[in-house]
Amino acid sequence: MAMERDNSGCLRGTGETPPSWTVTALPSPAPQQADPPPRTSQWGGLAASPCCSLSQEETRCSAFLPLPFPGGISGQHVWLPATNCLLSANAGFMIPGVATTQPLPAPRENNPGSAAETQPAPSEEWIQPCPREFVQRIQTEEAKEIYPIRDKATRTRLALIICNVEFDHLRRRDGADVDVTGMKRLLEGLGYKVETHCNLNAQAMAETLKQFAARNEHRTSDSTFLVLMSHGVRTGLCGTKSQGESTDVLSVDTIYTTFNNKNCQALVGKPKVIIIQACRGENRGQVLVSDSAELPGDSSSLALLSPEGLEDDASHLIHVESDFIGFQATTPDTLSWRCPKTGSVFITRLIEQLRTNACRFPLEEIFRKVQLSFQNFPRQMPTKERTTMIKKFYLFPGH
């Protein structure tokens, strides 16, 4: 079967899947003479497009990997999610344990300005529901260790998505509309009313966050999600007028300050989840190490100092910043990666883990599973930061 590239440079296989099939390792197809050869890494993977606007890396899909199948019909595309794939050393593909009876549809192209309008209705079948018996058991056995959730019929959960696609001086973030559509569908399916804003400068992003923090609905809510997606630098997220490190940048500190216990008292004691899809520098986040490299020594010799003999006369004090968990696409100073057709690798894998595992695991464990999915993708590693949640946060889908 032949491989072809679409206009964005993503490789697609053509063919139709027979009623049942087994996928085995396939050699990489030869590129067409008219195109340059696809960039590959020493791990055998196709290169993806970095979110950073300054990189000259070739654009390739990494969120979805296309494969051709025998007996196919020309003109139909077969796509497999990269989260279910292992890249072999010879740049072929192996998909262990995948049982599928029909081809997966190619992602639809959406207009970034109309992501909300083209968003399919949320489905509790798409998000695996949580059995009532499990909810009751967790709420009984771990009552003091979990954040309480309000009754589904009366709570007023809100979520905010800010996504910048078009910029005055930086490259357009193709594929970001797919991320918006997926996150909106996910959060609505989890019971949140989603507010979406696109293409804001740093000042407008800060004002939008401030207005959202002041919403009265937070008083009768039990949590909130803040999802911010843009080009990024070490210190924060780029606004639409940004020209680099020091112009039109929303500081990450501004996000936390806006929703801390001093400035957003309606969310005191409630989980505040901050998800950031953005580059944080231009490094590639990978390094070669010897198999004999020694692990650093443990820190058991470092004594933890605890305050003793301290008193205060205040009637009631609370932490200025608490009940946050931040999840960023990559570690400081490194790139994050995005496919113009299927969206960012981080958001794609986060959505997949939440919709399939929120019924069984607390949020922080789901984030760990997302990190684990990047084990064989050394270009990028998501990171949890400024986590001040003192309890487990179960989303209990369907409840």
Side-chain angles (χ1 to χ4, degrees), residues 119-238:
Q119 140 74 27
S123 166
E124 290 188 358
E125 288 73 27
W126 183 67
I127 300 175
Q128 190 169 336
C130 194
R132 180 171 297 278
E133 296 77 14
F134 177 81
V135 176
Q136 293 172 342
R137 180 174 64 82
I138 294 296
Q139 289 179 333
T140 300
E141 296 178 0
E142 302 185 34
K144 295 182 179 181
E145 299 180 11
I146 65 174
Y147 286 99
I149 63 169
R150 286 179 174 261
D151 182 75
K152 184 179 180 181
T154 58
R155 70 189 178 209
T156 54
R157 286 179 170 176
L158 294 179
L160 175 66
I161 296 176
I162 295 177
C163 181
N164 289 336
V165 181
E166 303 280 357
F167 299 82
D168 292 349
H169 306 285
L170 304 179
R171 189 175 55 193
R172 173 186 166 90
R173 296 182 62 248
D174 291 319
D177 57 302
V178 181
D179 292 339
V180 171
T181 300
M183 284 303 304
K184 188 172 188 293
R185 182 184 184 190
L186 175 74
L187 292 170
E188 287 181 342
L190 292 172
Y192 293 85
K193 181 179 179 181
V194 181
E195 182 178 317
T196 305
H197 297 266
C198 295
N199 300 329
L200 304 179
N201 60 34
Q203 182 178 351
M205 286 193 284
E207 184 60 30
T208 299
L209 289 168
K210 185 177 179 179
Q211 292 175 0
F212 184 78
R215 293 281 293 270
N216 288 329
E217 291 95 324
H218 293 312
R219 298 186 182 278
T220 49
S221 178
D222 53 22
S223 57
T224 192
F225 274 76
L226 310 171
V227 183
L228 297 96
M229 300 180 282
S230 185
H231 286 306
V233 293
R234 180 66 171 83
T235 55
L237 292 98
C238 295

Side-chain angles (χ1 to χ4, degrees), residues 63-64 80-85 104 125-128 178-179 182-183 185-187 190 275 327 342 344-361 363 366-367 369-371 373-374 395 397:
F64 284 79
L80 291 175
T83 49
N84 293 333
C85 296
L104 296 173
E125 288 73 27
W126 183 67
I127 300 175
Q128 190 169 336
V178 181
D179 292 339
M183 284 303 304
R185 182 184 184 190
L186 175 74
L187 292 170
L190 292 172
I275 295 170
F327 201 29
T342 60
S344 66
V345 183
F346 169 64
I347 295 295
T348 299
R349 297 186 181 187
L350 176 62
I351 291 172
E352 179 65 18
Q353 288 293 335
L354 278 168
R355 76 178 189 86
T356 57
N357 284 316
C359 61
R360 295 181 293 164
F361 299 105
L363 187 66
I366 295 172
F367 285 176
K369 290 180 178 294
V370 175
Q371 291 176 303
S373 75
F374 280 80
L395 286 159

Side-chain angles (χ1 to χ4, degrees), residues 237-257:
L237 292 98
C238 295
T240 54
K241 299 183 182 300
S242 178
Q243 299 185 54
E245 188 78 27
S246 59
T247 59
D248 198 40
V249 173
L250 175 72
S251 168
V252 173
D253 284 339
T254 299
I255 305 169
Y256 285 88
T257 301

Side-chain angles (χ1 to χ4, degrees), residues 101-116:
T101 57
Q102 59 184 9
L104 296 173
R108 295 185 302 172
E109 294 187 33
N110 295 316
N111 185 335
S114 61

Side-chain angles (χ1 to χ4, degrees), residues 50-52 232-234 278-286 329-337 378-383:
C51 295
C52 177
V233 293
R234 180 66 171 83
C279 287
R280 304 176 71 183
E282 298 182 52
N283 296 334
R284 298 191 177 275
Q286 60 200 39
T330 191
T331 51
D333 300 314
T334 56
L335 297 164
S336 62
W337 296 82
R379 293 170 178 259
Q380 177 179 347
M381 174 55 71
T383 177

Side-chain angles (χ1 to χ4, degrees), residues 229-309:
M229 300 180 282
S230 185
H231 286 306
V233 293
R234 180 66 171 83
T235 55
L237 292 98
C238 295
T240 54
K241 299 183 182 300
S242 178
Q243 299 185 54
E245 188 78 27
S246 59
T247 59
D248 198 40
V249 173
L250 175 72
S251 168
V252 173
D253 284 339
T254 299
I255 305 169
Y256 285 88
T257 301
T258 302
F259 289 87
N260 68 20
N261 292 334
K262 177 181 178 181
N263 297 319
C264 185
Q265 296 189 9
L267 286 171
V268 170
K270 302 173 184 179
K272 296 168 280 285
V273 184
I274 299 174
I275 295 170
I276 298 177
Q277 165 57 43
C279 287
R280 304 176 71 183
E282 298 182 52
N283 296 334
R284 298 191 177 275
Q286 60 200 39
V287 64
L288 292 176
V289 296
S290 168
D291 289 338
S292 61
E294 295 183 2
L295 294 176
D298 62 45
S299 57
S300 58
S301 60
L302 299 178
L304 297 177
L305 301 178
S306 58
E308 296 179 358

